[in-house]
Amino acid sequence: MSEPRAPRPRTSSGTRLVLALVLSLVVGSVSTVAALAAVVYHSGTVDVEVFQQGGEHVSISVPSTLVTAAVKLVPGRVFADAADEIGPYWPACRAACRELVRAPDGVYVSVTGPDVEVRVAKEDDRLRIDVQDGGDRVHVSVPVKSVLALVDKLAPA
Amino acid sequence: MLKRSLIAGVLLILATGLTAASDDLWLHVFVQEDGESGETVRVNVPIAFVEQVLPLIENEHVRDGKVMIPDHAELEGVDLRGIWEAVRDAADGEFVTVEGRDENVRVAKQDGMLLVNVDDDGEKVRVRLPLEVVDAAFSGESNQVDVVAALRVLGETYPSHDIVTVEEGSTTVRVWIDTRQEMDL
C-alpha cells in the first residue's frame, strides 16, 4: 500500500492574488514586447550607414515606427525652415512620394563613373540610396511610407 | 443583344488594356559620356508617375503640367499652335530647312511622325514624335505646351523608337519609352 501523500501547503488568498497579478504582468509584458517586435519587424527599420575613407564608420538602424512617431511628435516649428524651402514644390513632392508607394520595385536612377556611383532604387517597399564617391560611401534605406510621413510634416502652414 | 454585349465587352477589354499599357510604360533617359572621366546616367520613371507629379509643379515657366513659352521678341506675334495646325493638316514633306555655316535645321512630317533634326556645331539633335503627341502638346493656349497631355498620348501611341537623341562631342543622350522597368540597351 502506498503511503498517503503529505498535504500540500495551502496558499493564502493574498498570496494567490499576488501570484495572479505577477503572472498577468509577465504575460502582459511578454505580449507587449512580442507585439512591438512584430510591429517593428513588419514596419522595418530606417538604416543609415556612412563610411569615410580613413575615417569614421557610422551605422544607425532605428525602427521606422519610432521615426514616424518621432516625426509626428516633433513640433512643426522644427521643420519650419525646411517647409519654407520646399514650399511651392511640396504638393509635387508629396505626389511623388505617394506614387513611389504605389510604384513597382526597380532601379530608378543610376550614375556610374570612374569615381562615382549612385543608385536610387525601390526594393521591398523601401527606398534605397547608395552613393559611393571615391573612398566614401553612404547607404540609406528607409520604408517609403516613412518618407511620406516626413513629407507630410513639411506641409506648408 | 448578344452581339451588342460582345462588342461592349471587347471595347471594355481594349480600354482596360490601353489604360494598363499606359500605366505600365516607363520613360527612360540614358546619358553617356565617353572618355576617362565619363559618367553614365540611367533614369527610369513610370509614365504614370510623371503624369501625376508634373501637374503639381508650379513656377514661372511651368504650371498645371504646361510649359509657358516665354515672350521672346523672336516669337512675338507668332502663333505656334496655328503653325502646328497648318503643318498637321498638310501633306508629308519638309517644312522648315535652315542651312547655315555651322547650323542645319530640318523640320519634316513623314509617316505620321514629326521629325526635327538640328545639327549645330558638332551637336546633333534628333526628335521623332508621333503627330498625335505634338497635337496634344499644343492642345492648350497658344503660348503653352501641355507636357502632361503629350505624355499621356505618348503612352497611348507607344512609339517603339527613341523619341529624342542628342549627340554632343563625347556625350550621347537618349530618351525613349517601353514596358521594361530597367533599360535594355
Side-chain angles (χ1 to χ4, degrees), chain A:
Chain A
M1 279 189 56
S2 61
E3 284 183 21
R5 277 187 187 173
R8 287 171 64 183
R10 292 187 65 185
T11 49
S12 68
S13 59
T15 311
R16 279 203 298 271
L17 184 64
V18 170
L19 278 174
L21 276 173
V22 168
L23 193 65
S24 305
L25 276 173
V26 169
V27 169
S29 307
V30 169
S31 308
T32 309
V33 169
L36 275 173
V39 167
V40 168
Y41 176 77
H42 280 292
S43 64
T45 55
V46 172
D47 303 319
V48 179
E49 280 185 280
V50 181
F51 299 87
Q52 282 185 311
Q53 194 175 28
E56 291 175 352
H57 168 208
V58 179
S59 179
I60 301 166
S61 186
V62 186
S64 65
T65 39
L66 201 64
V67 174
T68 310
V71 163
K72 282 182 180 157
L73 290 173
V74 171
R77 63 177 183 277
V78 173
F79 294 104
D81 287 346
D84 278 351
E85 270 185 47
I86 204 169
Y89 296 103
W90 182 81
C93 283
R94 191 167 194 283
C97 289
R98 287 180 66 169
E99 285 301 309
L100 195 63
V101 172
R102 291 176 14 169
D105 284 4
V107 180
Y108 283 72
V109 179
S110 86
V111 180
T112 48
D115 298 318
V116 182
E117 206 148 307
V118 179
R119 185 173 179 273
V120 180
K122 187 187 169 198
E123 289 165 5
D124 302 327
D125 290 330
R126 297 175 72 82
L127 178 68
R128 293 179 192 271
I129 302 171
D130 291 285
V131 181
Q132 183 170 355
D133 186 359
D136 300 336
R137 276 189 293 141
V138 176
H139 164 75
V140 178
S141 172
V142 51
V144 283
K145 283 184 179 167
S146 298
V147 182
L148 188 59
L150 179 64
V151 172
D152 277 343
K153 195 71 184 181
L154 297 175

Side-chain angles (χ1 to χ4, degrees), chain B residues 86-163:
Chain B
V87 170
R88 184 193 57 196
D89 297 338
D92 280 7
E94 210 160 289
F95 293 94
V96 179
T97 310
V98 179
E99 289 182 0
R101 190 181 299 166
D102 299 320
E103 186 184 44
N104 287 317
V105 180
R106 178 176 171 258
V107 180
K109 194 179 119 180
Q110 190 183 311
D111 301 328
M113 293 279 165
L114 180 75
L115 312 174
V116 181
N117 295 352
V118 180
D119 293 271
D120 183 8
D121 202 18
E123 184 186 38
K124 277 169 69 172
V125 180
R126 301 286 181 268
V127 180
R128 198 170 171 214
L129 285 171
L131 297 180
E132 299 95 316
V133 174
V134 190
D135 216 18
F138 286 113
S139 59
E141 291 173 27
S142 63
N143 63 338
Q144 294 177 347
V145 176
D146 193 335
V147 181
V148 172
L151 268 175
R152 200 164 288 144
V153 177
L154 195 61
E156 288 166 10
T157 51
Y158 181 23
S160 58
H161 50 72
D162 287 353
I163 302 160

